């Protein structure tokens, strides 16, 4: 059981470049989300989805796009990378409608924007 | 605004000793509280999940307590091991429409030394 898989693990971008962080889960979880983790700060929600075709903004959505065409995949797109987007990104998933369901995290994608 | 405060920020203990980490929250209305362990360079992994009616929950050498009246939780680690070195994150969930949006603490970084 692979759980939540993120790719790539490491990425270096130049300012203005675009890229997509991939997230896939094999647990048939309806809920998927993206967080960023910065030093000295808690995990902050970027975007989330409660099912295919449904997405919503979290706390820090600016500069990021998401889509959910399948239950399994939830890619995060950086449209025009900025140094402020240098961070570690985590994808997480859980069963929707399960009130106390556990949130499962991927291993993270470390992004550096020069 | 929902907030989760953890203390201490960091802690160094000798192998074999016990320690207690604290979490205070102002999330309302409260649904559940989770403690996660995050090893360096890895994604967070759930240790315990506690609901309003639960005072104590154990997972091996980890014991979490919850006082919903004072809005405080603690994570007690018994007979620490080198592998306990990690960041421990307190996460609180609200009920209702906000149940998909979790409030994360900044974490306590624990170092266990020989």
């Amino acid at each position: 059981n692979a759980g939540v898989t993120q790719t790539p693990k490491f990425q270096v971008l130049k300012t203005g470049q675009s890229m997509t962080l991939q997230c896939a889960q094999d647990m048939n979880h309806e809920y998927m989300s993206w967080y960023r983790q910065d030093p000295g700060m808690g995990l902050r929600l970027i975007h989330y989805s409660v099912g295919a075709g449904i997405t919503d903004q979290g706390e820090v959505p600016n500069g990021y796009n998401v889509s959910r065409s399948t239950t399994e995949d939830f890619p995060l797109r950086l449209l025009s990378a900025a140094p402020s987007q240098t961070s570690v990104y985590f994808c997480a998933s859980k069963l929707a409608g399960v009130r106390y369901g556990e949130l499962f995290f991927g291993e993270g994608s470390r992004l550096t924007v020069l | 605004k929902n907030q989760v405060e953890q203390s201490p920020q960091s802690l160094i203990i000798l192998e074999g000793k016990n320690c207690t980490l604290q979490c205070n929250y102002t999330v309302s209305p409260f649904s559940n509280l989770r403690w996660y362990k995050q090893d360096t360079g890895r994604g967070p992994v759930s240790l315990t999940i506690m609901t309003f009616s639960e005072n104590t929950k154990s997972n091996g050498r980890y014991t979490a307590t919850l006082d919903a009246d004072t809005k405080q939780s603690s994570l007690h680690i018994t007979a620490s091991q080198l592998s306990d070195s990690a960041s421990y994150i307190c996460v609180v969930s609200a009920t209702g429409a906000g149940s998909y949006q979790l409030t994360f603490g900044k974490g306590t970084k624990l170092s266990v030394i020989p």
Side-chain angles (χ1 to χ4, degrees), chain B residues 60-111:
Chain B
R61 295 180 295 102
Y62 301 99
T63 299
T65 64
L66 175 65
D67 186 332
D69 291 331
T70 62
K71 299 186 178 181
Q72 295 180 325
S73 176
S74 65
L75 181 69
H76 186 75
I77 304 174
T78 304
S80 61
Q81 300 176 358
L82 297 179
S83 59
D84 292 329
S85 295
S87 287
Y88 292 84
I89 302 171
C90 178
V91 185
V92 183
S93 176
T95 58
S99 63
Y100 287 122
Q101 302 207 15
L102 310 175
T103 304
F104 288 79
K106 294 179 182 180
T108 293
K109 184 172 183 178
L110 175 66
S111 298

Side-chain angles (χ1 to χ4, degrees), chain A residues 4 23 25 27-35 45-52 54-58 68 70-74 91-98 101-105, chain B residues 34 36 93 97-104:
Chain A
V4 179
C23 176
Q25 52 89 13
M27 298 174 281
N28 204 29
H29 287 171
E30 300 93 340
Y31 176 82
M32 296 185 73
S33 54
W34 277 101
Y35 294 87
L45 182 66
I46 304 171
H47 286 285
Y48 67 98
S49 168
V50 297
I54 305 170
T55 63
D56 206 347
Q57 296 181 352
R68 186 91 179 271
T70 68
T71 300
E72 295 78 20
D73 301 299
F74 190 45
C91 180
S93 72
K94 68 187 288 289
L95 285 171
V98 177
E102 179 180 341
L103 193 62
F104 291 86
F105 285 87
Chain B
R34 314 158 192 248
Y36 281 85
S93 176
S99 63
Y100 287 122
Q101 302 207 15
L102 310 175
T103 304
F104 288 79

Side-chain angles (χ1 to χ4, degrees), chain A residues 46-96:
Chain A
I46 304 171
H47 286 285
Y48 67 98
S49 168
V50 297
I54 305 170
T55 63
D56 206 347
Q57 296 181 352
E59 181 184 356
V60 288
N62 293 340
Y64 307 95
N65 270 1
V66 292
S67 60
R68 186 91 179 271
S69 56
T70 68
T71 300
E72 295 78 20
D73 301 299
F74 190 45
L76 178 73
R77 297 183 185 84
L78 281 71
L79 308 173
S80 178
S84 61
Q85 294 178 304
T86 293
S87 187
V88 181
Y89 292 84
F90 288 97
C91 180
S93 72
K94 68 187 288 289
L95 285 171

